[in-house]
Amino acid sequence: MTTQPLDRTPSPSKPSISWKQWALPLSVGLIVVFCLAPALWQLLTSFKTNEAIAAIPTVYFPSEFTLEHYQELFERRPFFNYMLNSFVVATLSTVLALGLGSPAAYALARLRLQGESILVGAILVVTLFPPILLFLGLLNVVQALNLGNNYLSLILPYAAINLPLTILVMRSFFQQLPRDLEDSAKVDGYSTVGLLLNIVLPLTLPALATTGILAFITAWNEFIFALTFITAEPMKTIPVAASQLGGASIFEVPFGPIAAATVLGTLPLVLLVLFFQRQIIRGLTSGAVKG
Amino acid sequence: MVLDLSRMQARLRDTLRRWKASIFSRIFSFAVLGLAITLALGLPSLTQQPVVISFLMLAPETPLFEPLIAEFEEQNPDIRIQMVEGPNAPNLVEDLNTSALLLGRSPYDLINLDVVWTAKFAAAGWLLDLSDRLSDEQLAAFLDSTVEAGRYEDRLYRIPWRTDAGLLYYRSDLLDTIGAAPPETFADMMEAAQTLQSETDVNWGYLWQGRQYEGVAAMFVEVLSGFGGYWIDADTLEVGLDLPESIEAVRFLLDTVDAGVSPPGVTTYQEEETRRLFQSGGAVFMRNWPYAIPILDADASPVQGMVGIRPMIGTPEGEGAGCLGGWGWGIVSSTPHPEEAWRVVEFLTSEAAQRQNAMQGYMPSLRSLYSDPEILATHPYFTDLFEVADNTVLRPNIAQYAQASDILQRYLSSALSGRMTPEAAMQAAANETRNLLGRFADRSTEEEPIEPVGSISSPATPLAASNLPVEPAPLTDSPDLSVTVTVKAEEPTPAIAPMPELPIAPSIAPSIAPFVEDVA
Amino acid sequence: MTSNSAPARPPVTHKIDVIVQRDRQIGWMLTIPALLLLIAVFAYPIGLAVWQSFITKNLGTELQPQFSGIQNYIRMAQDGRFWQSLWNSVVFTTLSIIIEFLLGLGIALVLNQAFRGRNIVRTIAILPWALPTALIALAWTWIFNDQFGVVNDLLLRLRIIDSGINWLGNPTLAMVAVIIADVWKTTPFISILLLAGLQSIPDDLYEAHRIDGANAWQSFWQITLPLLLPQVVIALVFRFAQAFGIFDLIAVMTGGGPGGATEMVSLYIYSTVMRYLDFGYGSALVVVTFLLLVLAVAIAAYLLSRVRGSAQATDAR
């Protein structure tokens, strides 16, 4: 499978260059359309008037833009407060997941623990337990420990849900690092922890940023736990607050405000990802120089 | 865009720093707040602080209650009401209440109960029996069906504060063009719809909710009632889904699509899909709840002033009736303050409170308010709504309603989407429902083991139709608009009473059969 | 599965025992906090599910637990709805992760190229994963509406169809629709994991390979894929678990309909426990589903280790 017969390969480099010239922009364009179109739809909806939203046939590009849905969002509710809450919960749980997960991943990758494969297997098995079912059991725990309306009841489960991904992803990256690097660092007198912090982690920054982004997004958008464990109004997170948006009755679906909430709720994530993209690139180039 | 983003990044980083500093103080203050709330809930008996009565409310309805709560607290300084805002979705609110109650000591003292939750919550032992709280005269002021829906095994657990019922919307302007009166029967409606579809440019005749969800069950009980059938008799636990009337009802729904009167997509619609299509002028008739009345009549609505309403229609064999919805208060059995909780319930279901709600367009559960001049001045359509509200059919008032409803939804949806024939689908639904009720009866009584009756377990035998003398005919001869359910509950009972037990076969074979055949 | 991926290497140092000993101690210190958190959060719910699967606790017993042995499991064997939903989950999971993997790999390869605005495009590529599922599922429901949905509108305008397709009303098409929505939503999860993997493959490896006369296609098969394998495996395992546990998307888009054609096992379990209050039976459903998932992953791991073992000799590193 890994050895390809030579005769099946496309012919020399000249046509492949011209092929590359249009293939890359085209595929980038397709990716952008694929990923952006439905999201753009939400963005447009959030600026449409209610009449344009309800209109049949569908109005793709509204002739009239309005901010009323955003106003609605802020009028009745402290929407920024919800964003802040989500930010606190997502950040702390992500930090916890990365902070506990990366060292464990390193140990499992490099430090020859007894029963390593059993541990990895167990961590893997835990991920197969669907969160929606995890919730049913945690209900008892949260009540027994009186953690309702306490952010610990969100931060700890979120961190735990993200831990297996963190551990397994980071472990795979640690294993791919050239071992000579660590050996020579040890010769230079680094302790294991110092080695981890000063040499290994910077090299795996792209992986760390990637798992961090995934963990953050998971925590940011989680709904059932947040809905059930946090009922105090000032403590609610964005998805729960968004679920409270309503029309005049329970049957009416408030498309405008929902779209506005989606846009506002996703914007911080977009900014965060943009910010971390830079870190990823930077970490990569600096790593390459060092290596 | 790019420039903006980089500036925003810088600002974000700046804000981040400030947030980080406040994270811990925030957490701390929340912890203190949490502690304070706990103390406030736990200690009132020791101190002279007011009792706190707490409940969860659907988000869109909280504004309705804010003035009422203020008024109540002013009149009752010894009670504080804490209204917790839940999501804007009944099923999520149900789950939240369930989660809270499961844990034994609920944080809530009251529950705002949808009609179809009452039996389950009562059977779980989560509700206080309110039977002795109101006299018969007091109860008589309520619409019968709304009280009936609050009973479980002859005890009252729920006091309704508002009602709801399915009804038929029609385009009065279009009917005028062909000189037709609003239809009385399904046949009338089909005819008018087809005429208008061919003579005018209206695309569709009739819109209904056919997606697999609770709404399809609500829609179906109306059609069932219209064809003289029934779903489950709450008293005898007899299942009527495989009676010829039920199969006729399914056929009718299929016909609306086959005849081009309803768009094929109705089998995926919920309330909003139908409302939007109707509002855009795309259809002549629609089955929906009263929430659409003010929306359809709003200034921006393309059909403003062109819409009429009437109670749900039927056939000569069965009277049309709207499915009963609506909400009421129950008191959580573990509340430390049942008396105070009851005072809140009394206030929130009082005529004064319901009048305020009615002014906001909510259908009251008290009869008198439908002829209240003050309300009629604002909402003239309440006259028509009384007929709707007083002519309803209940979904089965049984503890395992949720499961029974899911069975019906799945098989009805199977039939509507062509996965199964109406006969096979309704037979399977009936068998599975009987199995469900049998399993439950088996466990709760723990006597009279259910005898396996071989011939009946065969899916080919329409059990109820052949064995039981249940003729749902009595429905037609009740010209007064009194609640259909009461009639239904009383009439067949004597006929069934001699029957010892429902012969329920423990074999689940019939329930698996449909899955084998729908591979095709 | 990923456990034996550390390449066997000969001991370098003569003080091996001491070093291994100390490494292990530090290793445990680094691992235990994470394990404690996992145990704190997962042990009780899993244990509770196992215990409750042997009792009957539902409305029939007034929510009091009664020991009933394996009765729940017997009932499950005859529960057509369970097997149907399990089958639906298998179909949904298999199809969506295969499509997601191919798409995600393609996207990752493209995004790993150098081009202007790469940062922005990478951010856009994560966007679907960042949008809240329940809200975006609502949008998909309307996108697939038969009368005024965008999909039908586009197909009609392009003259591919001449009347609106009833996407969510047809058992097969409804499954297709939810798979499309899920693929859109979760492909970014795979593509950014793979992208991170691609970024950590040193360029000089490709350089050397090119000097040896290999072309891009050969580099892909001989360098990229083997070195990307750990991330591929992780992405697939996690997507497998997520797809099997899918809830919001289906609940909003089809509610499991039409006729149960898109009801996934997670929806059935949730209904059984939260709505029917049938805790014992619901727990048995959880346990069986969970064990089947573990079994599936174990079989996949075994097959993978055999494939790898035979491919070890030709491995790029």
Side-chain angles (χ1 to χ4, degrees):
Chain A
M1 196 171 173
T2 45
T3 46
Q4 280 295 314
L6 276 165
D7 54 5
R8 269 194 54 209
T9 55
S11 46
S13 52
K14 266 198 178 170
S16 86
I17 281 175
S18 69
W19 173 81
K20 261 198 168 172
Q21 269 170 348
W22 59 263
L24 185 62
L26 180 76
S27 41
V28 169
L30 282 178
I31 291 171
V32 169
V33 170
F34 173 76
C35 293
L36 201 56
L40 212 56
W41 178 252
Q42 289 284 302
L43 186 68
L44 282 174
T45 305
S46 74
F47 290 113
K48 282 184 198 172
T49 59
N50 278 327
E51 291 78 67
I53 292 174
I56 295 171
T58 314
V59 176
Y60 285 91
F61 291 96
S63 50
E64 192 189 341
F65 286 86
T66 173
L67 285 175
E68 65 174 308
H69 304 308
Y70 290 90
Q71 280 170 351
E72 238 170 277
L73 223 50
F74 287 99
E75 259 167 23
R76 250 186 80 198
R77 295 156 198 297
F79 209 79
F80 272 128
N81 203 26
Y82 298 138
M83 290 169 87
L84 182 69
N85 295 341
S86 282
F87 192 85
V88 170
V89 170
T91 307
L92 290 179
S93 65
T94 305
V95 167
L96 197 59
L98 295 184
L100 296 182
S102 314
Y106 183 75
L108 289 170
R110 283 287 198 254
L111 299 181
R112 290 167 284 214
L113 297 181
Q114 309 97 310
E116 174 198 312
S117 53
I118 294 173
L119 273 185
V120 173
I123 290 168
L124 198 66
V125 160
V126 145
T127 65
L128 298 173
F129 201 71
I132 195 94
L133 311 177
L134 180 67
F135 150 78
L136 297 168
L138 283 185
L139 209 59
N140 291 318
V141 180
V142 167
Q143 210 247 355
L145 301 179
N146 211 0
L147 286 177
N149 284 332
N150 181 327
Y151 280 147
L152 278 181
S153 65
L154 299 187
I155 292 169
L156 294 181
Y158 292 173
I161 287 171
N162 284 318
L163 254 182
L165 182 74
T166 313
I167 292 177
L168 292 180
V169 171
M170 292 310 292
R171 178 170 173 267
S172 77
F173 280 94
F174 289 139
Q175 282 173 338
Q176 282 179 335
L177 286 180
R179 200 153 193 159
D180 320 342
L181 197 72
E182 291 158 70
D183 290 340
S184 53
K186 280 198 176 171
V187 172
D188 287 352
Y190 277 102
S191 68
T192 305
V193 175
L195 174 86
L196 186 61
L197 288 177
N198 295 317
I199 297 187
V200 174
L201 275 185
L203 277 177
T204 46
L205 208 59
L208 207 57
T210 303
T211 39
I213 287 171
L214 290 176
F216 190 91
I217 291 175
T218 309
W220 180 271
N221 284 335
E222 199 285 329
F223 181 64
I224 294 277
F225 288 65
L227 176 74
T228 313
F229 298 153
I230 305 291
T231 50
E233 196 59 34
M235 293 181 71
K236 283 178 179 167
T237 57
I238 290 221
V240 178
S243 79
Q244 295 180 347
L245 294 169
S249 78
I250 46 174
F251 295 112
E252 205 182 335
V253 182
F255 286 98
I258 282 182
T262 310
V263 171
L264 275 186
T266 314
L267 205 60
L269 295 179
V270 171
L271 298 177
L272 199 79
V273 172
L274 267 179
F275 176 76
F276 274 109
Q277 289 291 10
R278 270 187 165 178
Q279 304 302 102
I280 291 175
I281 304 295
R282 203 178 292 155
L284 196 69
T285 46
S286 65
V289 171
K290 270 188 202 162
Chain B
M1 175 105 185
V2 184
L3 282 174
D4 270 354
L5 285 177
S6 65
R7 214 185 312 148
M8 284 166 102
Q9 267 185 33
R11 278 180 61 186
L12 181 76
R13 236 173 294 159
D14 197 28
T15 343
L16 270 178
R17 219 171 297 134
R18 265 182 285 134
W19 280 351
K20 261 187 194 159
S22 64
I23 284 169
F24 293 103
S25 64
R26 286 187 69 84
I27 289 178
F28 181 71
S29 63
F30 282 136
V32 172
L33 187 78
L35 196 68
I37 291 174
T38 323
L39 287 178
L41 285 172
L43 293 179
S45 50
L46 299 180
T47 61
Q48 275 305 307
Q49 278 174 346
V51 167
V52 177
I53 297 298
S54 152
F55 58 84
L56 189 65
M57 200 68 209
L58 285 156
E61 288 171 0
T62 51
L64 194 68
F65 280 85
E66 274 152 16
L68 291 174
I69 290 173
E71 197 182 325
F72 178 85
E73 289 183 342
E74 199 182 336
Q75 292 168 14
N76 301 272
D78 58 326
I79 300 178
R80 288 279 151 282
I81 296 181
Q82 189 196 25
M83 176 168 61
V84 177
E85 188 171 341
N88 171 25
N91 60 329
L92 290 177
V93 171
E94 183 183 11
D95 291 352
L96 268 181
N97 274 317
T98 304
S99 310
L101 291 161
L102 272 179
L103 301 178
R105 48 187 169 119
S106 159
Y108 309 119
D109 304 278
L110 296 178
I111 310 183
N112 180 28
L113 290 161
D114 192 355
V115 269
V116 288
W117 306 348
T118 316
K120 175 169 85 180
F121 281 52
W126 294 338
L127 298 178
L128 275 189
D129 183 356
L130 305 177
S131 309
D132 304 327
R133 296 277 183 176
L134 290 178
S135 67
D136 285 352
E137 296 92 81
Q138 283 172 309
L139 281 178
F142 290 92
L143 292 157
D144 297 351
S145 59
T146 63
V147 176
E148 202 51 46
R151 288 191 203 281
Y152 174 66
E153 292 184 341
D154 293 329
R155 313 299 299 170
L156 186 68
Y157 292 97
R158 168 188 177 273
I159 313 290
W161 64 269
R162 77 176 180 91
T163 188
D164 214 351
L167 54 96
L168 186 72
Y169 290 80
Y170 58 87
R171 286 282 299 282
S172 47
D173 60 322
L174 291 176
L175 288 184
D176 285 348
T177 61
I178 57 165
E184 294 290 330
T185 63
F186 291 130
D188 288 356
M189 180 179 74
M190 291 287 274
E191 195 189 321
Q194 279 170 317
T195 312
L196 281 166
Q197 277 175 279
S198 59
E199 288 180 10
T200 67
D201 58 357
V202 68
N203 273 330
W204 302 109
Y206 180 44
L207 303 178
W208 42 277
Q209 296 87 35
R211 178 179 134 133
Q212 185 186 321
Y213 80 124
E214 182 54 36
V216 81
M219 178 280 306
F220 190 63
V221 289
E222 294 169 359
V223 183
L224 261 185
S225 164
F227 279 90
Y230 67 98
W231 179 358
I232 300 169
D233 188 307
D235 293 327
T236 63
L237 294 187
E238 177 54 21
V239 179
L241 288 178
D242 50 1
L243 298 180
E245 289 85 350
S246 306
I247 290 159
E248 280 297 296
V250 181
R251 283 246 169 73
F252 160 71
L253 291 171
L254 282 170
D255 283 348
T256 64
V257 178
D258 290 344
V261 168
S262 301
V266 281
T267 57
T268 66
Y269 289 177
Q270 304 184 57
E271 286 82 0
E272 277 293 84
E273 281 91 347
T274 55
R275 197 265 299 168
R276 278 177 68 174
L277 190 50
F278 187 79
Q279 187 162 350
S280 72
V284 189
F285 300 103
M286 169 175 72
R287 182 269 163 210
N288 213 327
W289 306 92
Y291 85 96
I293 298 173
I295 307 176
L296 294 173
D297 209 38
D299 284 341
S301 163
V303 294
Q304 188 190 22
M306 307 172 184
V307 179
I309 56 169
R310 62 147 291 146
M312 205 55 214
I313 52 180
T315 65
E317 283 76 41
E319 194 183 342
C323 175
L324 184 83
W327 297 76
W329 293 109
I331 298 180
V332 174
S333 52
S334 62
T335 178
H337 313 293
E339 293 312 312
E340 287 84 355
W342 172 250
R343 272 159 65 195
V344 177
V345 172
E346 260 185 324
F347 177 84
L348 291 178
T349 55
S350 68
E351 192 178 272
Q354 290 207 34
R355 179 180 286 112
Q356 282 193 36
N357 294 343
M359 294 301 284
Q360 304 296 317
Y362 287 86
M363 284 169 75
S365 59
L366 291 168
R367 294 168 183 279
S368 58
L369 291 173
Y370 287 89
S371 50
D372 188 277
E374 190 192 347
I375 295 170
L376 285 178
T378 323
H379 304 298
Y381 61 86
F382 264 54
T383 328
D384 299 328
L385 274 186
F386 179 70
E387 213 185 328
V388 172
D390 201 31
N391 182 23
T392 53
V393 53
L394 264 69
R395 285 163 279 178
N397 213 351
I398 54 172
Q400 351 38 348
Y401 174 75
Q403 205 163 352
S405 173
D406 278 4
I407 292 171
L408 175 63
Q409 290 170 34
R410 282 165 64 82
Y411 286 107
L412 184 55
S413 175
S414 289
L416 295 177
S417 61
R419 290 190 99 188
M420 296 171 82
T421 64
E423 290 83 1
M426 289 296 106
Q427 185 65 60
N431 288 339
E432 245 179 68
T433 309
R434 287 187 190 109
N435 269 324
L436 166 72
L437 300 178
R439 194 162 56 229
F440 186 74
D442 187 22
R443 287 211 187 122
S444 56
T445 55
E446 288 195 354
E447 35 193 56
E448 293 202 49
I450 293 161
E451 292 163 45
V453 183
S455 66
I456 286 156
S457 68
S458 153
T461 325
L463 169 88
S466 58
N467 290 3
L468 295 169
V470 183
E471 290 301 326
L475 287 179
T476 43
D477 55 29
S478 59
D480 65 316
L481 288 177
S482 76
V483 189
T484 346
V485 164
T486 30
V487 178
K488 203 186 290 167
E490 285 164 14
E491 290 284 275
T493 311
I496 293 175
M499 295 294 293
E501 266 302 319
L502 268 186
I504 290 143
S507 155
I508 318 200
S511 68
I512 295 177
F515 295 110
V516 180
E517 75 184 58
D518 61 31
V519 174
Chain C
M1 45 161 321
T2 47
S3 56
N4 61 351
S5 56
R9 46 175 33 258
V12 188
T13 148
H14 54 281
K15 294 190 289 181
I16 178 126
D17 282 349
V18 183
I19 289 186
V20 166
Q21 207 60 34
R22 216 189 44 214
D23 270 6
R24 278 188 178 157
Q25 274 177 9
I26 296 173
W28 282 114
M29 278 163 55
L30 294 178
T31 317
I32 280 171
L35 293 181
L36 283 181
L37 180 59
L38 284 177
I39 290 169
V41 172
F42 283 95
Y44 179 77
I46 295 180
L48 181 74
V50 173
W51 152 242
Q52 284 197 338
S53 73
F54 294 108
I55 60 173
T56 297
K57 181 183 170 190
N58 58 23
L59 288 173
T61 67
E62 282 164 355
L63 300 187
Q64 297 309 307
Q66 284 173 8
F67 187 78
S68 63
I70 58 165
Q71 211 174 335
N72 288 322
Y73 292 97
I74 294 171
R75 180 176 154 201
M76 195 185 309
Q78 301 171 315
D79 184 352
R81 186 174 168 194
F82 171 67
W83 296 108
Q84 158 114 36
S85 65
L86 194 65
W87 173 244
N88 289 342
S89 283
V90 169
V91 170
F92 172 81
T93 305
T94 313
L95 290 179
S96 53
I97 64 176
I98 288 174
I99 300 170
E100 284 159 17
F101 171 66
L102 295 176
L103 267 179
L105 181 62
I107 291 175
L109 287 171
V110 170
L111 295 184
N112 197 36
Q113 308 296 314
F115 55 87
R116 281 180 65 85
R118 181 163 73 162
N119 264 354
I120 305 283
V121 176
R122 281 183 178 176
T123 307
I124 288 172
I126 301 179
L127 202 55
W129 180 253
L131 290 165
T133 313
L135 300 186
I136 212 68
L138 191 65
W140 279 106
T141 314
W142 287 89
I143 287 171
F144 282 113
N145 185 292
D146 71 317
Q147 292 298 303
F148 28 84
V150 176
V151 174
N152 278 350
D153 196 48
L154 289 177
L155 293 177
L156 284 169
R157 280 175 202 226
L158 296 172
R159 309 273 162 108
I160 294 172
I161 53 173
D162 50 7
S163 66
I165 295 176
N166 187 12
W167 286 95
L168 300 176
N170 174 298
T172 313
L173 293 179
M175 183 62 100
V176 171
V178 294
I179 288 176
I180 290 176
D182 187 62
V183 163
W184 179 80
K185 166 84 189 148
T186 56
T187 297
F189 179 87
I190 293 188
S191 61
I192 61 174
L193 270 182
L194 297 189
L195 181 59
L198 285 174
Q199 286 181 328
S200 71
I201 300 175
D203 283 345
D204 26 341
L205 271 182
Y206 290 101
E207 208 75 32
H209 208 231
R210 199 153 31 222
I211 291 166
D212 289 351
N215 60 28
W217 182 251
Q218 287 169 322
S219 311
F220 174 73
W221 282 103
Q222 291 168 13
I223 299 181
T224 312
L225 263 196
L227 288 187
L228 205 54
L229 195 62
Q231 280 80 36
V232 169
V233 168
I234 291 170
L236 290 182
V237 168
F238 277 86
R239 277 301 308 142
F240 176 72
Q242 290 166 3
F244 231 93
I246 189 158
F247 189 79
D248 298 15
L249 186 81
I250 309 284
V252 174
M253 276 184 75
T254 65
T262 59
E263 185 178 65
M264 306 298 157
V265 71
S266 51
L267 267 82
Y268 181 38
I269 293 174
Y270 187 78
S271 289
T272 305
V273 177
M274 283 303 280
R275 297 184 46 241
Y276 312 158
L277 305 181
D278 202 343
F279 297 95
Y281 189 57
S283 300
L285 294 174
V286 171
V287 170
V288 167
T289 310
F290 185 51
L291 288 179
L292 287 174
L293 289 183
V294 172
L295 188 69
V297 170
I299 291 173
Y302 174 71
L303 293 178
L304 188 74
S305 70
R306 287 190 50 173
V307 169
R308 273 173 139 193
S310 62
Q312 204 96 58
T314 50
D315 218 28
R317 216 191 260 182

